[in-house]
């Protein structure tokens, strides 16, 4: 295997090794420069990128997840089981315009499904140089197809050993691709067996280290001394860590006895059933130091990145212009070393350089002062804080983002009127004291001219002050200069970039957060307000950056009000004001939140239907070019469609939740010798309503305990759940046996034909004797906690889920529920977690039930507290991907009051 794993996720070693090897070999076979493997996840219909080779992972985050029904080549290859060959950008745009719009660069790509038998596991993909015709990649395609077939066969073997292993729910592993350069110096390879401590070197490595095979004792200690005597302890520690499954994220930069640079890279090699070996390479960069010394003398800044974004070289001038010492640059990810470069326009240019062969030239605005810490990312218009997930949390101002509260007013204020001519000159800016900067010195302005030259293994970047370049923004005095507060590169932020982010947002609040996170930084905005139309009035849904309470008087304004935010919607025209003076001239007497700045008011209209309006605020006066106005108008259309979809989703969710709450039992059937309690938790915001339910029904002389889960989410799942609950209740009241109840319900669901199936567990219990008779249809097994605390899983035999096979049989099994014992029925939402086996969740629930305790006095009610403890973690989780139902029952020895 060639390449190194960066931040490998904790998954089965054999699976990771298979994916890594297949991806690396596919890139070589197809003559590519990047690639990876998409693998199915445990979420139905969702693929996840498991391996990404040759590209920085964070730079391609929007493509980490792929729904199989999306109009993308990866989805088609997986869903249809076909090979997709895209030789160039023209063919990509013709067949997959949405994919091409997101990555509009000159490259080709190849997608091959990973299949074994009737099972499709994922897609093997390669990005390669563009060619004129698909016939030119057929030979490479054939080799990639063979690799995909071999990978599919290997994954089938893994699946037979562990059915849950062949899925991916974490972030991708990042790999360095096989080097394409022949001038990187000498390379030698080695392998170390931790079980025997023996290390073997190939002939090249013996030559590189100057140690003949006859003189090498074959120990790790001798190897470490030969590579870098001063860092021998570090090498030995890294070998041990790699053997334990923790390979280094990056190559080690070492110096040999003569002070020459050596690079050491290590990884795990899995050869079941043997224990994993540690393998690696030692690289002597060769003539590179000479070239580096020459580049150190250049007047322009020069720095180099590998294909994962690691800074491998920076000359003194580059360090000066980027604002960080060379020691803080080399050996670190570019975005970690220079946080202010983490901005949409720069990332877009870097994607172009990584995917296409042509140089990329652009300008960047430096922050006025160095950022205070590595975790602060500064955009051209100001800092952008990050939340716990690493996403931008606010885009300016001291106020926090404020989604509209149901009882808190808001407003439709800043909306405008006839926009000034696109070519009108903006009034001079009067910067506030905190933004006043010393006048730039010649050739040392705030703007940098950057060029990126792609290579097979690395990107070479040059940087120089833009004020010394004739066509720079600073030299031209453009209105979008740093003084104007805008970004001249904002139009490069294509609508599809926002569309990709909006695709993951399903609620109005999530859509608003995406707009704040993606749109404001791209255009240098600091304020955002979103209003939605309801009953001919505009209500504030989201605000950030405005003074607290400023927008409150404008909440709920009617469409007859003369305000820019209203008139942009009623007229369907976006309104742009280069300064606050222009705004007050157009709308005399309008309340202002700042003395200076600029405003854009965008109508949110989806397919001719009015949705609302969006307000963008800027701290300083600025002009809006024709291109910027066009892009902002297009983005407003995307936001409107996303908002409309989110409103429909929320309406359907409210309907489904209401239906579900009506159908769930308000009160459980009672018996003097039995205490029962139930809990239901819906999925968190952004998740459709599920079909989980529970019930306690009188059946003959006893009680029937029922729990079930309808496949899918939404109104249909909730309605099907109601039908099944009613059917089970009717069959139970008819005093039928558990197997008859299951069989009758199965036939009913098949006759209804809703296109859904359901799992169910039905237990008929005699409270007097404690005898329980159970039938199970594809549902997780119950748990039984004895009075002394011993808890076990009731491994009851069962049949297939309901609604699939009309001839299915559901065997009945018996067990005893003693006084003081607790029986727990639950749905999979309580025990399933992405990336973890369901058995682990069942074990955790069993342990929690064992620790739940018993009543302080015999006959005392206590199940409500037990239920609360068992669901506490799920109840406080911010991300609950599925509904949860829990039903507990316990017998009392003596008659007591009515059950809970």
């Amino acid at each position: 295997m060639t390449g190194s794993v960066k931040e490998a996720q904790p998954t089965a070693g054999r699976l990771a090794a298979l994916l890594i090897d297949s991806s690396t070999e596919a890139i070589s076979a197809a003559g590519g420069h990047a690639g990876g493997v998409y693998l199915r996840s445990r979420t139905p219909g969702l693929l996840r990128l498991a391996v990404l080779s040759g590209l920085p992972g964070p730079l391609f985050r929007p493509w980490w997840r792929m729904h199989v029904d999306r109009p993308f080549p990866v989805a088609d290859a997986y869903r249809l089981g076909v090979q997709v060959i895209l030789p160039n950008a023209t063919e990509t745009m013709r067949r997959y315009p949405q994919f091409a719009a997101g990555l509009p660069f000159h490259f080709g790509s190849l997608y091959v499904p990973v299949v074994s038998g009737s099972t499709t596991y994922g897609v093997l993909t390669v990005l390669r140089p563009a060619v004129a015709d698909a016939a030119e990649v057929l030979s490479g395609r054939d080799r990639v197809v063979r690799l995909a077939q071999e990978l599919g066969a290997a994954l089938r073997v893994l699946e037979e050993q562990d059915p849950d292993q062949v899925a991916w729910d974490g972030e991708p592993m990042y790999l360095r691709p096989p080097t394409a350069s022949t001038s990187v110096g000498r390379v030698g390879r080695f392998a170390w067996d931790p079980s025997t401590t023996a290390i073997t070197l190939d002939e090249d490595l013996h030559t590189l280290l100057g140690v003949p095979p006859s003189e090498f004792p074959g120990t790790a200690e001798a190897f470490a001394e030969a590579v870098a005597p001063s860092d021998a302890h570090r090498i030995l520690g890294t070998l041990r860590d790699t053997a334990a499954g923790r390979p280094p994220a990056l190559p080690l930069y070492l110096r040999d006895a003569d002070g020459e640079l050596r690079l050491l890279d290590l990884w795990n090699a899995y050869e079941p059933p043997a224990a994993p070996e540690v393998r690696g390479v030692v690289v002597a960069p060769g003539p590179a130091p000479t070239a580096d010394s020459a580049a150190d003398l250049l007047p322009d800044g020069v720095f180099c990145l590998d294909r994962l974004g690691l800074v491998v070289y920076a000359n003194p001038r580059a360090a000066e212009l980027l604002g960080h010492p060379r020691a803080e640059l080399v050996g670190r990810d570019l975005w970690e070393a220079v946080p202010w470069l983490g901005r949409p326009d720069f990332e877009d240019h870097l994607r172009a350089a990584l995917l296409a062969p042509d140089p990329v030239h652009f300008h960047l605005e430096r922050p006025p002062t160095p950022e205070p810490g590595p975790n602060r990312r500064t955009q051209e218009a100001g800092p952008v804080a990050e939340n716990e997930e690493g996403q931008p949390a606010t885009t300016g101002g001291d106020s926090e983002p404020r989604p509209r509260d149901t009882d808190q007013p808001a407003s439709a204020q800043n909306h405008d009127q006839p926009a000034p001519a696109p070519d009108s000159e903006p009034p001079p800016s009067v910067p506030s004291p905190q933004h006043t900067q010393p006048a730039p010195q010649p050739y040392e302005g705030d703007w940098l001219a950057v060029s990126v030259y792609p290579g097979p293994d690395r990107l070479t970047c040059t940087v120089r002050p833009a004020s010394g370049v004739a066509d720079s923004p600073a030299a031209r005095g453009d209105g979008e200069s740093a003084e104007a507060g805008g970004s001249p590169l904002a139009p490069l932020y294509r609508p599809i970039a926002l569309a990709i982010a909006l695709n993951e947002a399903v609620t109005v609040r999530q859509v608003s957060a995406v707009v704040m996170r993606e749109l404001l930084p791209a255009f240098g905005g600091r304020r955002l307000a979103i209003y939605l139309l309801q009953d001919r009035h505009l209500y504030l849904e989201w605000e950030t950056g405005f003074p607290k309470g400023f927008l409150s008087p404008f909440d709920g304004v009617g469409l007859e009000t003369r305000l820019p935010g209203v008139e942009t919607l009623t007229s369907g025209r976006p309104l742009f004001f280069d300064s606050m003076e222009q705004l007050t001239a157009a709308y005399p007497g309008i309340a202002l939140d700042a003395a200076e700045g600029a405003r854009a008011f965008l109508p949110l209209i989806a397919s001719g239907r009015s949705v609302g309006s969006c307000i963008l605020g800027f701290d300083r006066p600025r002009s809006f070019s024709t291109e910027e106005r066009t892009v902002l108008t297009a983005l407003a259309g995307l936001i409107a469609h996303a908002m409309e979809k989110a409103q429909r989703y929320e309406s359907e969710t409210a309907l489904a939740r209401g239906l579900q709450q009506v159908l769930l039992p308000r009160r459980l059937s009672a018996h003097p010798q039995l205490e029962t309690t139930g809990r239901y938790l819906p999925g968190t915001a952004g998740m459709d309503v599920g079909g989980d339910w529970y019930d306690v029904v009188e059946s003959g002389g006893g009680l029937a305990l029922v729990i079930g889960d309808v496949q899918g989410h939404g109104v249909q799942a909730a309605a099907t759940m109601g039908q099944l609950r009613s059917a089970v209740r009717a069959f139970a009241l008819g005093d039928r046996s558990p197997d008859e109840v299951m069989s009758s319900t199965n036939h009913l669901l098949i006759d209804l034909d809703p296109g859904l199936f359901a799992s169910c567990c039905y237990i008929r219990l005699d409270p007097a004797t404690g005898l329980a008779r159970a039938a199970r249809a594809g549902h997780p097994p119950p748990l039984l906690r004895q009075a002394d605390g011993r808890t076990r899983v009731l491994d009851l035999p069962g049949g297939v889920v309901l609604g699939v096979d009309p001839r299915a049989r559901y065997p009945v099994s018996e067990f005893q529920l003693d006084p003081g014992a607790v029986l727990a029925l639950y749905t999979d939402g309580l025990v399933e977690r992405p990336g973890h086996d369901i058995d682990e969740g069942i074990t955790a629930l069993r342990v929690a039930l064992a620790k739940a305790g018993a009543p302080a006095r015999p006959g005392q009610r206590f199940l409500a507290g037990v239920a609360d403890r068992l669901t506490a973690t799920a109840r406080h989780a911010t991300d609950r991907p599925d509904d949860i139902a829990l039903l507990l029952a316990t017998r009392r020895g003596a008659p007591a009051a009515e059950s809970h």
Side-chain angles (χ1 to χ4, degrees), residues 474-491:
R476 293 195 310 266
D478 286 355
E480 290 90 0
S481 68
E483 199 64 16
S487 168
L489 299 169

Side-chain angles (χ1 to χ4, degrees), residues 625-659:
S625 69
T626 301
E627 189 176 8
E628 284 182 308
R629 295 178 184 219
T630 301
V631 171
L632 283 170
T633 303
L635 293 175
L638 288 174
I639 296 167
H641 280 281
M643 279 293 183
E644 187 180 49
K645 181 185 73 173
Q647 288 176 317
R648 287 199 305 268
Y649 168 83
E650 291 185 345
S651 297
E652 179 181 331
T653 299
L655 173 62
R657 290 205 190 284
L659 176 62

Side-chain angles (χ1 to χ4, degrees), residues 553-632:
F554 302 95
D555 186 36
V557 296
L559 293 186
E560 70 284 351
T561 309
R562 189 172 185 273
L563 288 170
V566 175
E567 293 188 353
T568 190
L569 180 62
T570 56
S571 68
R573 292 187 301 112
L575 305 175
F576 299 92
F577 297 94
D578 295 354
S579 66
M580 304 304 278
E581 289 81 3
Q582 287 187 2
L583 177 59
T584 54
Y587 292 89
I590 188 174
L592 300 179
D593 62 298
E596 66 173 21
R599 295 290 181 268
F601 299 86
L602 308 175
L604 302 182
I605 300 175
S607 302
R609 293 183 296 276
S610 298
V611 177
S613 58
C614 176
I615 306 166
L616 300 180
F618 304 84
D619 281 350
R620 290 172 284 180
R622 58 160 295 163
S623 62
F624 297 89
S625 69
T626 301
E627 189 176 8
E628 284 182 308
R629 295 178 184 219
T630 301
V631 171
L632 283 170

Side-chain angles (χ1 to χ4, degrees), residues 683-708:
T684 50
M687 303 296 174
D688 289 325
V689 176
D692 295 17
W693 92 93
Y694 62 86
D695 206 352
V696 178
V697 187
E698 294 182 7
S699 181
L703 291 178
L705 311 176
V706 189
I707 196 163

Side-chain angles (χ1 to χ4, degrees), residues 401-572:
R402 297 187 291 274
R404 184 193 176 204
D405 215 58
T406 52
D407 55 359
Q408 177 183 353
S411 114
Q413 166 269 169
N414 305 314
H415 322 48
D416 18 317
Q417 155 281 303
D423 56 353
S424 61
E425 290 294 323
S429 169
V430 183
S432 58
Q434 63 267 35
H435 290 106
T436 302
Q437 298 297 329
Q441 299 301 315
Y443 300 94
E444 297 295 336
D446 288 335
W447 289 91
L448 300 176
V450 182
S451 296
V452 184
Y453 300 89
D457 302 316
R458 63 183 59 190
L459 307 179
T460 300
C461 309
T462 65
V463 57
R464 52 180 168 166
S467 54
V469 183
D471 63 347
S472 71
R476 293 195 310 266
D478 286 355
E480 290 90 0
S481 68
E483 199 64 16
S487 168
L489 299 169
L492 294 172
Y493 185 81
R494 287 173 301 280
I496 193 60
L498 180 63
I500 292 172
L502 288 174
N503 182 67
E504 302 295 331
V506 294
T507 67
V508 169
R509 179 170 180 172
Q510 289 174 346
V511 170
S512 302
V514 166
V515 175
M516 180 195 72
R517 186 175 68 242
E518 300 288 342
L519 186 60
L520 283 184
F523 288 86
R526 302 295 294 272
R527 292 170 171 83
L528 172 70
I530 296 176
Y531 289 84
L532 297 182
L533 180 65
Q534 182 179 351
D535 299 329
R536 295 187 56 79
H537 289 76
L538 286 171
Y539 295 92
L540 181 67
E541 187 64 40
W542 184 279
E543 62 169 305
T544 182
F546 288 96
K548 188 172 183 179
F550 172 75
L551 298 179
S552 297
F554 302 95
D555 186 36
V557 296
L559 293 186
E560 70 284 351
T561 309
R562 189 172 185 273
L563 288 170
V566 175
E567 293 188 353
T568 190
L569 180 62
T570 56
S571 68

Side-chain angles (χ1 to χ4, degrees), residues 31-104:
H33 47 65
V37 182
Y38 280 88
L39 206 62
R40 65 186 186 184
S41 71
R42 291 180 177 84
T43 302
L46 181 67
L47 300 176
R48 285 188 178 271
L49 185 60
V51 172
L52 179 62
S53 179
L55 295 171
L59 206 58
F60 291 83
R61 181 181 292 272
W63 294 270
W64 283 8
R65 294 157 44 106
M66 182 66 62
H67 291 276
V68 298
D69 57 353
R70 297 284 306 281
F72 281 75
V74 169
D76 276 2
Y78 180 87
R79 186 180 67 256
L80 305 176
V82 298
Q83 303 158 22
V84 179
I85 303 175
L86 303 174
N88 49 50
T90 302
E91 183 69 6
T92 303
M93 177 61 76
R94 185 183 70 83
R95 296 178 58 185
Y96 298 97
Q98 188 174 347
F99 175 59
L103 294 172

